Amino acid sequence: MNAKKWIGLCAIIALVAIVVPGTRYIFNDRKAPDSNVRNFSAEQEKTLKVKTLNKDMDATSLLCTTECSKEFHKLMNNGAKAGTFKAQSDKVAHMMGMHKHMAYISWINGNRSVDRGALPDKTAARYVADAKAKVKAGQSYQSRPFMSETGSRYVVLGVPSGKKNGIGVVGVINQDIVMQVERHQKRNLRLVPYPAEGNYRIESVEPNSNRETTVHDGEDNGNASHYHVKDVVVHFQDKLTANQLEQIKQKINAQNIQRIGDTYVFRSKDMDADKMVHYFQKSWKTEYVEPHYLYLTNDKADDDADIIKPNDALYSQYQWNLPSIETEKGWGLSKGNDKVIVAILDTGVQADHPDLKGKLMDGTNIVDSNAAPNDDVGHGTHVAGIIGASVNNGEGVAGISWYNKLLPVKVLDSSGAGSTYSVAQGIIWATDHGAKVINMSLGNYAQAEFLHDAIKYAYEHDVVLVAASGNDNTDRPGYPAAYPEVFAVAATDSSNNKASFSNYGDYIDVAAPGDSIASTYPGGQYAALSGTSMASPHVAALAGLIRSINPDLNNEEVMEIMRKSAIDLGNKGKDNYFGYGLIDVDKALKAASNYTSALQNFPGQTERRLEAISRKYNAG
């Protein structure tokens, strides 16, 4: 069926499709069949969800202050080159223009300062005075968060240059983003009724309350030598004392130390081999200092030599999720391709977010055809950053894909909800405009044939469709995730357990990180959110990388690779909580690069399709 025929079907507006960045899940008192899944009463579940909410708020606040502190340091480092007072003032104005949440900045140099912006109230003025005194003394400062007279949340930061020269930056930072995250996650974790009455006729279902529900059951060798990028081997002339060893440990930020006689192998957490060789040669008497070489068979080797650690400001401290799925290894095989488009059906995306610069296509707004697909909720921008925030630019966070283009398709309105019509039309539009992967961090519990027809249209046009399972901790099949053509994603936490809120069931294909995920947020900011909505874009990004490294793969082959390469969690084999397991970017890309469409792959694919179709009709 072509796209034109769909226009005639768009008169019927059906069920509401609810965004699921963080939803809820309820277990009864019966023992769950998986050791990683705990039993929750309704009250226990609510307590866990409040804990998740508070964690997201705290992490968002910390992301905000960390990002601003790093920007202040960059300002001071560039300040030596600024020259005149006007040049310094221009630099402050530029920084504030890029970071609208910086309400007031004072760049201090002894008794002189460059001041821009306005103090919101007397409380802020008092904290700023304290911060300036601390900075001039070479000390850092951070006030407690406070509410202004207008109801906005602020925090005051004081960042000294670190050279005890009376130079530093004091800033008043608007943290309304924390309250936005609170409102956002209260809805999406179903701590308040959502969606609100008014925009749609809503028939309440049990998962939207806190009532308890029943739970049913290589690297190629070539001619090169290889060594560990964070290791160095040192043979000392003299024996080391305990104090000397501790001194070395602190200097190189050692993660691990091995010893054979007078020879040591030092592994650093953040210093590369070249810098460590220079340090030991300059500071210690040694017989020799050399890299820690690897001796490999003539095959592929799973080693850390190809690990890529991006320099994005918030990456190492906050983005636990990417290393947990072996993204850093996978980047050695593929960083994506700008010819492979990943569509984001969501609330829109902030077009001018500095960490999404150059990644976004024009997209479309299904909700309002006269407007651009700008994000008025926050959800879509967060999803976009997980997939494709700029990597290795020294700013903010790192996305999973370095080069894949992102296509924003706004199908959800300012309340975070949209009709079957808007979602179906969005799927068709994205397909017709070149999307090879579509991410849908949205869903509801009713099947709509109208939506299913749109999904079949995209599937038949070789699109990989990825969807979040939902956040109600229920085995009730959620749609579009439970449609047989869609790749369904559950959420895990940082310990590789099922996230307490994550939906589950026999339709789940894989799991991905979804607990307190740091990503881009409107206003050029960054926030931490939890939900299967955060898990789904991890998988969509992986599908984009797979289609980049091997463009000859069809959509079913891409999905098969993601299933087969997943790391098994929970009960052995496929289960209802993790599907085939946690996605593994490195293994999936290795499999994709060596994958050939062969007859032996056909039976497994066919069997899974028949199972999914049978499940759908049995449920009906």
Side-chain angles (χ1 to χ4, degrees):
M1 183 178 294
N2 59 40
K4 290 183 178 179
K5 291 183 180 178
W6 281 97
I7 305 301
L9 294 176
C10 294
I12 302 174
I13 296 179
L15 302 163
V16 172
I18 302 172
V19 77
V20 286
T23 326
R24 73 161 251 266
Y25 302 53
I26 302 173
F27 275 60
N28 67 3
D29 292 333
R30 290 188 299 166
K31 184 176 180 181
D34 193 292
S35 60
N36 280 316
V37 183
R38 297 175 58 196
N39 304 320
F40 303 132
S41 68
E43 285 305 311
Q44 287 172 321
E45 183 188 345
K46 184 176 180 180
T47 299
L48 284 173
K49 290 163 81 170
V50 170
K51 184 178 179 181
T52 297
L53 169 68
N54 291 332
K55 181 169 64 173
D56 288 349
M57 292 171 63
D58 290 344
T60 299
S61 176
L62 197 54
L63 284 167
C64 178
T65 55
T66 302
E67 180 219 3
C68 289
S69 296
K70 290 180 184 293
E71 290 297 322
F72 292 175
H73 277 295
K74 285 201 299 187
L75 180 68
M76 287 183 280
N77 291 338
N78 295 332
K81 306 172 186 176
T84 66
F85 180 87
K86 182 180 184 307
Q88 290 179 323
S89 181
D90 288 345
K91 282 187 174 290
V92 173
H94 176 74
M95 182 180 71
M96 294 179 72
M98 295 295 292
H99 303 276
K100 303 294 187 184
H101 51 295
M102 295 181 181
Y104 167 87
I105 298 295
S106 180
W107 186 357
I108 302 165
N109 188 345
N111 293 321
R112 187 180 179 206
S113 65
V114 175
D115 298 271
R116 296 295 294 258
L119 296 173
D121 58 19
K122 293 179 180 179
T123 302
R126 186 173 70 251
Y127 284 136
V128 165
D130 293 343
K132 288 183 175 181
K134 290 285 189 181
V135 165
K136 288 179 180 179
Q139 300 174 24
S140 298
Y141 177 87
Q142 180 172 331
S143 75
R144 64 173 181 81
F146 63 94
M147 302 299 293
S148 71
E149 295 169 358
T150 59
S152 287
R153 169 176 162 144
Y154 291 92
V155 66
V156 175
L157 298 178
V159 179
S161 67
K163 300 177 181 179
K164 297 185 178 179
N165 53 7
I167 296 175
V169 176
V170 170
V172 179
I173 311 303
N174 182 299
Q175 284 200 324
D176 283 351
I177 186 174
V178 177
M179 295 187 292
Q180 292 168 16
V181 166
E182 180 182 26
R183 290 193 296 270
H184 187 88
Q185 292 298 74
K186 278 184 175 178
R187 293 184 309 179
N188 295 314
L189 291 170
R190 304 301 190 265
L191 288 165
V192 295
Y194 177 69
E197 298 287 345
N199 290 336
Y200 304 96
R201 286 189 63 190
I202 306 300
E203 182 178 351
S204 297
V205 293
E206 194 168 13
N208 284 342
S209 72
N210 280 309
R211 294 192 297 274
E212 187 172 355
T213 117
T214 302
V215 176
H216 304 290
D217 308 74
E219 175 178 330
D220 296 323
N221 285 305
N223 295 313
S225 297
H226 308 279
Y227 61 89
H228 196 292
V229 293
K230 298 289 175 62
D231 281 9
V232 69
V233 179
V234 185
H235 186 116
F236 294 93
Q237 290 184 7
D238 304 311
K239 289 186 177 181
L240 293 179
T241 66
N243 287 339
Q244 288 174 322
L245 191 59
E246 184 61 28
Q247 179 185 341
I248 292 170
K249 185 177 179 180
Q250 295 297 323
K251 184 69 177 180
I252 69 170
N253 196 14
Q255 177 179 333
N256 185 45
I257 301 174
Q258 295 176 298
R259 176 185 176 186
I260 302 176
D262 294 327
T263 303
Y264 292 77
V265 179
F266 295 98
R267 174 168 292 183
S268 171
K269 292 180 181 177
D270 49 25
M271 188 181 292
D272 64 33
D274 287 343
K275 290 181 180 178
M276 283 194 287
V277 167
H278 178 74
Y279 163 71
F280 283 108
Q281 288 175 339
K282 181 180 179 180
S283 304
W284 298 88
K285 294 180 180 180
T286 63
E287 294 289 342
Y288 57 81
V289 183
E290 63 184 20
H292 189 194
Y293 290 104
L294 307 174
Y295 296 86
L296 310 176
T297 61
N298 292 322
D299 200 347
K300 303 277 185 184
D302 288 327
D303 200 273
D304 292 344
D306 275 346
I307 284 180
I308 296 173
K309 295 277 188 182
N311 65 10
D312 301 82
L314 303 174
Y315 179 79
S316 60
Q317 192 170 356
Y318 299 106
Q319 289 191 266
W320 65 270
N321 47 314
L322 269 59
S324 75
I325 56 173
E326 301 291 5
T327 307
E328 296 168 343
K329 283 186 180 181
W331 281 333
L333 296 167
S334 175
K335 298 183 181 72
N337 184 317
D338 62 7
K339 299 294 188 290
V340 177
I341 298 169
V342 180
I344 300 168
L345 268 65
D346 218 292
T347 60
V349 179
Q350 182 193 342
D352 59 350
H353 195 291
D355 221 358
L356 294 171
K357 186 177 180 180
K359 300 300 291 291
L360 297 174
M361 302 176 72
D362 287 340
T364 192
N365 188 331
I366 304 296
V367 177
D368 180 358
S369 60
N370 295 316
N374 292 323
D375 189 0
D376 46 13
V377 177
H379 186 263
T381 302
H382 197 273
V383 167
I386 294 171
I387 299 172
S390 297
V391 186
N392 242 20
N393 65 344
E395 302 284 344
V397 297
I400 294 172
S401 166
W402 296 45
Y403 303 124
N404 292 97
K405 290 292 188 181
L406 308 180
L407 185 64
V409 182
K410 183 172 175 61
V411 298
L412 305 175
D413 63 21
S414 59
S415 74
S419 67
T420 302
Y421 166 83
S422 62
V423 178
Q425 189 178 0
I427 291 169
I428 297 162
W429 189 93
T431 301
D432 290 345
H433 286 79
K436 300 303 290 180
V437 180
I438 295 177
N439 183 78
M440 298 176 287
S441 290
L442 47 84
N444 203 344
Y445 295 106
Q447 299 186 58
E449 291 303 325
F450 181 40
L451 177 60
H452 194 186
D453 283 343
I455 283 167
K456 286 186 282 190
Y457 175 82
Y459 180 84
E460 289 163 3
H461 283 75
D462 196 35
V463 176
V464 177
L465 297 131
V466 182
S469 62
N471 308 314
D472 290 308
N473 188 28
T474 177
D475 65 350
R476 184 195 305 265
Y479 297 90
Y483 288 123
E485 299 84 5
V486 178
F487 201 80
V489 184
T492 57
D493 62 20
S494 59
S495 299
N496 285 348
N497 294 321
K498 172 189 170 295
S500 60
F501 49 77
S502 181
N503 282 7
Y504 55 96
D506 58 3
Y507 65 96
I508 299 296
D509 288 287
V510 296
D515 184 43
S516 199
I517 305 300
S519 186
T520 47
Y521 208 71
Q525 299 186 78
Y526 301 89
L529 298 179
S530 299
T532 58
S533 277
M534 283 63 254
S536 181
H538 287 76
V539 179
L542 174 56
L545 294 181
I546 291 172
R547 304 207 89 160
S548 298
I549 199 173
N550 191 343
D552 294 330
L553 296 170
N554 64 39
N555 56 357
E556 189 58 50
E557 289 167 340
V558 172
M559 293 190 282
E560 187 73 359
I561 285 169
M562 292 194 293
R563 295 183 190 107
K564 286 189 172 181
S565 62
I567 304 303
D568 193 19
L569 298 177
N571 292 338
K572 188 174 181 179
K574 185 179 186 295
D575 61 58
N576 286 355
Y577 302 101
F578 307 99
Y580 288 89
L582 181 70
I583 60 167
D584 186 311
V585 175
D586 182 51
K587 286 188 176 181
L589 292 178
K590 285 176 180 174
S593 64
N594 295 318
Y595 194 99
T596 55
S597 297
L599 286 174
Q600 62 261 34
N601 297 316
F602 184 74
Q605 296 172 9
T606 303
E607 181 181 358
R608 260 178 287 282
R609 286 280 291 144
L610 290 173
E611 286 177 356
I613 293 169
S614 174
R615 187 171 64 241
K616 171 184 179 295
Y617 284 105
N618 288 336

